[in-house]
Each structure stands twice: as C-alpha cells, then as structure tokens.
C-alpha cells in the first residue's frame, strides 16, 4: 500500500469513526430518555400502589363500620 492509499484509508477510517461516534451519542441520548421514562413510570406505579392501599384501608374501615352498625342495630333490636 503506497502513501496516498494509506492516507485515503486513514481518512475513511476517521470518517467512519466520526459516524459511529454520532450513532453512539444518539443511542446514549435514547437510553437516557428511556431511563427517565422508566423512572417516571416507576414513580407513577408507586403512587398507584399508595392509592390502592388507601382505597383498601377506606374500604376495610367502611366495611367494619357497616358491620358494627349492623351489630349495634341488632343489639338495639334484641334489647327491645
């Protein structure tokens, strides 16, 4: 390989490396966006979990109130 062929090959390699570098930067940016999106989703899932827990607590306490009201009315009725 003569000098001019070597220079041409090195230039092409340099161009290819620059192109690959651009692709890697785009991938890093995309992965960063995916990471951000996953974090947001994770936070929303945690919020949903808290909402579900709070709904369960409300449901259980209203069921207990309902049971105690039934028991109370039964006792009142029984006492009469």
């Amino acid at each position: 390989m003569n000098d001019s062929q070597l220079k041409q090959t090195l230039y092409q390699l340099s161009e290819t490396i620059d192109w690959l570098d651009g692709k890697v930067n785009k991938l890093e940016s995309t992965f960063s966006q995916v990471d951000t999106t996953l974090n947001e989703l994770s936070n929303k899932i945690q919020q949903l979990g808290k909402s579900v827990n709070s709904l369960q607590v409300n449901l259980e306490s209203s069921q207990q109130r309902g049971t105690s009201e039934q028991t109370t009315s039964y006792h009142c009725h029984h006492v009469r």
Side-chain angles (χ1 to χ4, degrees), residues 17-33:
I17 288 169
D18 287 347
W19 179 82
L20 283 170
D21 193 41
K23 295 291 179 190
V24 168
N25 285 339
K26 281 184 181 177
L27 278 172
E28 286 174 342
S29 173
T30 301
F31 283 137
S32 176
Q33 290 171 350

Side-chain angles (χ1 to χ4, degrees), residues 12-76:
Q12 287 171 343
L13 271 173
S14 176
E15 289 287 303
T16 303
I17 288 169
D18 287 347
W19 179 82
L20 283 170
D21 193 41
K23 295 291 179 190
V24 168
N25 285 339
K26 281 184 181 177
L27 278 172
E28 286 174 342
S29 173
T30 301
F31 283 137
S32 176
Q33 290 171 350
V34 167
D35 194 42
T36 300
T37 303
L38 286 175
N39 283 337
E40 289 171 357
L41 274 173
S42 177
N43 290 339
K44 287 179 181 175
I45 288 169
Q46 285 176 344
Q47 288 171 353
L48 270 174
K50 288 177 185 173
S51 296
V52 167
N53 284 342
S54 145
L55 276 172
Q56 267 181 318
V57 167
N58 288 342
L59 193 63
E60 287 169 4
S61 69
S62 74
Q63 283 174 339
Q64 286 171 353
R65 273 199 308 271
T67 306
S68 67
E69 284 168 9
Q70 286 170 357
T71 307
T72 307
S73 66
Y74 172 75
H75 282 304
C76 292

